[in-house]
Amino acid sequence: MDLLNEIKKGVVPQHVAVIMDGNGRWAKQKGMPRVFGHKNGVKAVRETIEAARNSGVKALTLYAFSTENWKRPKTEIKTLMTLLVTSLKKEAKSLDKNNIKLQVIGNHDLLPKVVIDGLNKVIEQTKNNTALTLTLALSYGSREEIVNAVKNISKKIVKGQVSIEEIDENIINNHLYTFTLPDVDLMIRTSGEKRISNFLLWQIAYAELHFTDVLWPDFTKKDFYNAIIEFQHIERRFGKTSAQIRTSNEI
Ligand code: IPE
Ligand code: IPE
Ligand code: MG
């Protein structure tokens, strides 16, 4: 495929995060209930995982359900949870076969047991896989994650395991749910909304942001590849000047 060949010539983002948005509006456009959009969003998830794997992206983090999404109608939440369990069951084999490792981030106290059990099974099954780390952000909120990190660091200070002087960016990073992942290089949001909605606030400090009007159920591999190609044309300066970037090998 042409787009993929072009991608392979450039630097591929290590970590891509996706805010999968627009299922409800997609369904509404078709005169259908919101849950119809969620059901049709599953295919786009599959496309995105395959596209990330094909591109050589090492980490893909998908925003599946936010801490704020608990405020939605109970029936919609139930459909989303059921969809997650059935999709996991269907996709487990294919994830494993494609050398993809599944992990989850978020506050899972509120998740139904059937969801936790379903997730744990696939996490265990895929734990030694190395081609791509697929992280599902589930019942995830970035502020909740930061609060949780502050609490855990404070506990260590009280116990004398960490001193206040030792606190640095690394220590904070290591107490976030994403501690095993590199910073996000590219964040994609579908549906035309240009906001972050409490997703990976710390981790996107220097991410490139890609917003597309495509509604999530319509998102395809091609859309993903185009986002990567756009990313590859951006000069990432990390505070330096353009001249410095062009004359130095180190970023
Ligand atoms: C994204 O689509 C899926 C979740 C947030 C779970 P939405 O359900 O937010 O769809 P819109 O934004 O209402 O169209
Ligand atoms: C963000 O989408 C959460 C997920 C994609 C899971 P929302 O649709 O919940 O975001 P807002 O509330 O419109 O910002
Ligand atoms: Mg939405």
Side-chain angles (χ1 to χ4, degrees), residues 19-21 63-66 69 72 189 193 195 197:
I19 303 177
M20 313 185 285
D21 197 16
Y63 206 5
F65 194 87
S66 71
N69 288 148
R72 292 196 178 190
R189 182 171 189 146
E193 310 288 9
R195 57 176 173 267
S197 303

Side-chain angles (χ1 to χ4, degrees), residues 20-26 34 38 64-65 69 72 76 80:
M20 313 185 285
D21 197 16
N23 293 353
R25 277 162 284 168
W26 185 88
R34 295 179 54 80
H38 296 318
F65 194 87
N69 288 148
R72 292 196 178 190
E76 182 170 341
L80 282 167

Side-chain angles (χ1 to χ4, degrees), residues 240-251:
K240 296 182 182 176
T241 66
S242 192
Q244 282 177 301
I245 298 299
R246 274 181 271 125
T247 52
S248 122
N249 298 322
E250 54 178 81
I251 296 176

